[in-house]
Amino acid sequence: MEVVRKRIRSDATSLAVRGFGYVFIGLFAICCLVPFLLVLGTSFTSEGSITKHGFNIWPREFSTFAYKIVFENPGLIVGSYMVTILITVVGTAAGLFLVAMTGYALQRPDFAQRNGISFFIYFTTLFSGGIVPFYLLINQYLKLHDSYLAVLLPGLMSPFLIIMMKSFTKSIPHAITESAKIDGAGDFTIFLRLILPMTTPALATIGLFIALGYWNEWYNAMLFLSPDMKYRPLQLFLYNVITSADFIRNSSAASNVPLRDMPLESMKMATAVVATGPVILFYPFVQRYFIQGITVGAVKG
Amino acid sequence: MLMCVPAILFFAVFAYLPMPGLYLAFIKYNYTDGIFKSPFIGFDNFRFLVMTGDLWRLTFNTIAYNVAFIVLGNFLQIFVAIMLNELRKKWFKKLSQTIMFLPFFISFVIIGLIAYNILSFDYGLLNSILKSLGADPVKTYSNPHVWPLIIIITFLWQSTGYGSIVYFAAIMGLDSEVVEASEIDGANALQRILYIVLPWLKPTFIILLLFSLGGVLRGNFGLFYNLVGANNTSLYATTDIIETYVFRSLMNNFNFSMGSAVSLYQSVFGFIVVITANWLVKKTSPDNSLF
């Protein structure tokens, strides 16, 4: 069998297809990587070289000046990190718990209102009030402006994740729930003690989705957190460094470097590297779970 | 059951409570009078949007970008998944998948910075390359014609690695006996792809298509806002989508009524699109419809 397979697989067309595959995938992967190297390279380039030669992947004149200035006044960056980590940890834990609980409850065959409630949740993906009423709700009625809750609360659940959890817990036989019931366990105990441990792969994937959402969150932060707030979530902090000259002016004053000598461009890149670096180092370890989870979801349909 | 109460409360507050707020679309909102005392003006906001031509531009841009995203995105994702499946070297497959997935992992703020890195008139990589080739540098940030291309490429760059995983997983579910049988019958890789793998991917494609059609009037705000910026007037003709318009009416002009009018139009129109698409799919292949 092996011999036959080998012979058949290596006909000319198949070899050509495979060869093309290597070249295409290889090139595409390089295209995905290069922009990151560009940011990294620029952050280590001296400002003079940037104004003369432009951005480059490989620094023509190596310099760590931008990093020196970024780290000279680390308070803001560390504060932003803390805010983002806090929101991500709390939001992911709470959101994951709520999504898992809802998803489990909504597929229980003995839960009569499950279809009604499922539709209640699903309908929000079809029709929405838009951001203007949402903005007024958060700002004027819930009074959450300038509160980290305005960033934390809206990201807790999404219909997509609930549906994902629902279809995953469907594969757990209902008989398990029933037999636990006969043994005298309450619904909540069954969920905590039996269902949660059995759904670890789904929990990992959904948790990662929620965490990624919080880590990269800047939209609600931009809408609801005013500029006088000292510590803002990391992405919003980065956004301000990139777009506003104020930040550069402040750090110029703080580090006693005259404004005209400030490495404007390389500082933007250095801040981006500092803000993203740890996540990218972490990324290869969690990416596996993402792929697993998406795969499970796709196969189940 | 008690377990659903938090979810019901959550969606009631964050999704249903804003819906009556769409009433804003029919009034001339001013801050001092609030929602209920501001004068009711009926469809005047909509009339204004049609007369200025804004509504047409927003609809066209939003739909055109989404159609391009859906068509090109799915095409590239399927293509990458099939090519990945042809590769034999395991380390190469793993490594390239990891790298292609990376852009999905970062925030739009970083994506905006990367675009600036490449496209900036004075220092951008693109102009460095053009200059070294002896060509004239391009003023990207004031030339509206290049933006559809830039936005579509950025979208493909960010989403292909992630999206191809779904198709790759679907290919993995293909019965290996069918593939082996075809090989023994003498099918080469090209024939196998055309006659076995592609038809096999059709249901997955239809489901994903339906999901994305539902959002055909919903823009990718983060992408547009961070690439273009909200206030780059010279690029509106080709880059202004519904979300950026609504955002501006909220944050810059404080024209809450106009923003709500566009949102309402978006929701109603989008709703009709989903229902129609689902109805069409149900008629042709009932198993693949969403509801």
Side-chain angles (χ1 to χ4, degrees):
Chain A
M1 184 61 211
E2 260 322 293
V3 183
V4 177
R5 227 187 127 115
K6 246 183 202 140
R7 189 173 54 79
I8 290 168
R9 281 234 161 162
S10 40
D11 66 280
T13 320
S14 304
L15 275 181
V17 169
R18 199 183 305 166
F20 178 76
Y22 276 104
V23 175
F24 179 80
I25 296 289
L27 282 178
F28 195 85
I30 290 172
C31 290
C32 286
L33 193 61
V34 162
F36 292 95
L37 300 178
L38 186 62
V39 172
L40 189 67
T42 316
S43 71
F44 282 109
T45 309
S46 74
E47 197 67 11
S49 163
I50 290 179
T51 29
K52 223 184 294 160
H53 305 289
F55 298 136
N56 238 312
I57 294 174
W58 197 252
R60 286 185 195 222
E61 288 169 33
F62 187 83
S63 155
T64 52
F65 189 44
Y67 285 93
K68 221 185 117 221
I69 293 192
V70 170
F71 283 120
E72 215 147 69
N73 193 9
L76 283 176
I77 270 209
V78 172
S80 302
Y81 254 110
M82 285 307 171
V83 168
T84 294
I85 290 173
L86 182 79
I87 290 174
T88 306
V89 169
V90 175
T92 307
L96 187 57
F97 179 74
L98 292 175
V99 166
M101 192 164 73
T102 316
Y104 168 67
L106 284 181
Q107 58 76 43
R108 280 268 297 260
D110 55 346
F111 179 35
Q113 292 87 31
R114 66 177 188 281
N115 286 330
I117 298 175
S118 294
F119 184 75
F120 178 81
I121 293 173
Y122 180 70
F123 183 74
T124 60
T125 63
L126 297 178
F127 200 89
S128 87
I131 65 162
V132 178
F134 181 69
Y135 178 84
L136 290 176
L137 173 82
I138 302 271
N139 260 358
Q140 288 185 4
Y141 296 98
L142 301 178
K143 306 262 182 238
L144 288 178
H145 52 98
D146 285 351
S147 149
Y148 295 129
L149 280 179
V151 182
L152 186 72
L153 290 178
L156 279 176
M157 286 187 243
S158 83
F160 170 72
L161 294 178
I162 291 178
I163 292 171
M164 205 169 149
M165 188 68 199
K166 190 175 137 188
S167 72
F168 194 92
T169 39
K170 239 184 208 157
S171 62
I172 298 174
H174 184 55
I176 293 180
T177 302
E178 274 178 338
S179 69
K181 257 203 162 146
I182 294 167
D183 290 344
D187 286 326
F188 202 68
T189 322
I190 297 173
F191 167 67
L192 279 183
R193 305 276 297 271
L194 283 171
I195 305 298
L196 276 189
M198 279 161 65
T199 50
T200 338
L203 293 179
T205 315
I206 293 171
L208 279 173
F209 268 112
I210 302 178
L212 193 64
Y214 277 119
W215 189 271
N216 285 338
E217 189 348 274
W218 56 277
Y219 182 58
N220 288 328
M222 184 174 65
L223 282 178
F224 302 121
L225 304 182
S226 76
D228 357 300
M229 251 179 125
K230 189 154 188 227
Y231 298 128
R232 277 177 284 178
L234 203 53
Q235 305 299 334
L236 187 62
F237 170 76
L238 180 61
Y239 181 81
N240 288 326
V241 173
I242 295 172
T243 51
S244 93
D246 288 349
F247 178 80
I248 309 276
R249 223 168 284 135
N250 290 342
S251 7
S252 142
S255 53
N256 292 322
V257 175
L259 198 55
R260 66 187 153 77
D261 292 339
M262 287 294 284
L264 292 175
E265 298 300 332
S266 47
M267 251 183 82
K268 291 179 188 172
M269 308 304 160
T271 316
V273 172
V274 174
T276 325
V279 190
I280 295 209
L281 293 181
F282 189 51
Y283 158 75
F285 303 102
V286 298
Q287 176 240 13
R288 196 162 62 89
Y289 290 100
F290 256 117
I291 292 189
Q292 258 173 20
I294 299 163
T295 310
V296 168
V299 172
K300 281 183 192 300
Chain B
M1 218 160 41
L2 272 172
M3 285 175 161
C4 285
V5 172
I8 294 173
L9 273 177
F10 176 86
F11 287 102
V13 171
F14 289 107
Y16 285 92
L17 220 50
M19 283 184 199
L22 284 170
Y23 172 69
L24 276 165
F26 301 104
I27 58 176
K28 195 169 166 51
Y29 179 80
N30 63 63
Y31 200 82
T32 40
D33 291 341
I35 294 181
F36 299 107
K37 287 191 185 139
S38 296
F40 180 84
I41 52 166
F43 284 91
D44 278 4
N45 288 324
F46 296 94
R47 208 166 293 143
F48 179 79
L49 281 168
V50 174
M51 266 161 43
T52 50
D54 285 351
L55 204 60
W56 163 243
R57 182 189 70 208
L58 297 174
T59 312
F60 177 81
N61 282 348
T62 311
I63 292 182
Y65 275 113
N66 272 318
V67 168
F69 290 168
I70 294 171
V71 173
L72 296 174
N74 275 295
F75 176 79
L76 197 59
Q77 285 162 15
I78 293 175
F79 195 74
V80 166
I82 289 177
M83 283 303 139
L84 270 175
N85 187 46
E86 290 299 317
L87 305 183
R88 292 286 160 268
K89 295 242 185 317
K90 254 208 152 146
W91 65 267
F92 186 84
K93 236 192 230 189
K94 280 249 159 76
L95 183 70
S96 54
Q97 233 185 349
T98 303
I99 295 174
M100 289 189 292
F101 197 79
L102 189 61
F104 175 75
F105 214 71
I106 55 161
S107 79
F108 281 114
V109 179
I110 305 268
I111 291 180
L113 181 70
I114 287 175
Y116 170 76
N117 230 315
I118 297 172
L119 302 170
S120 147
F121 178 72
D122 294 318
Y123 317 122
L125 186 68
L126 181 70
N127 278 342
S128 308
I129 294 173
L130 285 178
K131 269 185 239 165
S132 68
L133 293 175
D136 288 332
V138 278
K139 276 191 177 159
T140 320
Y141 283 94
S142 56
N143 179 359
H145 303 296
V146 295
W147 279 93
L149 190 67
I150 295 170
I151 289 172
I152 290 169
I153 290 178
T154 313
F155 174 84
L156 294 176
W157 175 79
Q158 195 214 3
S159 62
T160 301
Y162 169 76
S164 66
I165 292 172
V166 178
Y167 285 111
F168 188 63
I171 296 178
M172 291 282 117
L174 182 59
D175 193 346
S176 60
E177 277 180 29
V178 180
V179 177
E180 269 168 31
S182 76
E183 277 166 9
I184 292 169
D185 289 345
N188 62 33
L190 207 57
Q191 288 163 327
R192 180 160 40 85
I193 290 169
L194 283 178
Y195 302 116
I196 300 176
V197 178
L198 278 181
W200 171 257
L201 290 178
K202 203 176 132 197
T204 314
F205 171 71
I206 292 179
I207 288 273
L208 291 179
L209 185 70
L210 262 182
F211 266 114
S212 42
L213 270 182
V216 81
L217 245 81
R218 243 169 274 158
N220 199 331
F221 179 77
L223 181 70
F224 285 76
Y225 185 76
N226 282 292
L227 278 183
V228 185
N231 306 314
N232 196 339
T233 328
S234 56
L235 300 180
Y236 282 171
T238 57
T239 62
D240 203 16
I241 56 167
I242 292 180
E243 264 82 0
T244 46
Y245 183 91
V246 176
F247 182 82
R248 272 204 315 278
S249 65
L250 179 66
M251 301 303 279
N252 301 350
N253 320 331
F254 302 103
N255 197 337
F256 288 11
S257 289
M258 208 58 86
S260 291
V262 177
S263 284
L264 179 62
Y265 161 77
Q266 174 189 31
S267 272
V268 171
F269 195 2
F271 188 72
I272 295 172
V273 172
V274 187
I275 301 291
T276 319
N278 191 62
W279 177 76
L280 279 175
V281 172
K282 213 171 196 168
K283 270 206 139 171
T284 46
S285 53
D287 299 339
N288 295 326
S289 66
L290 280 179
F291 44 84

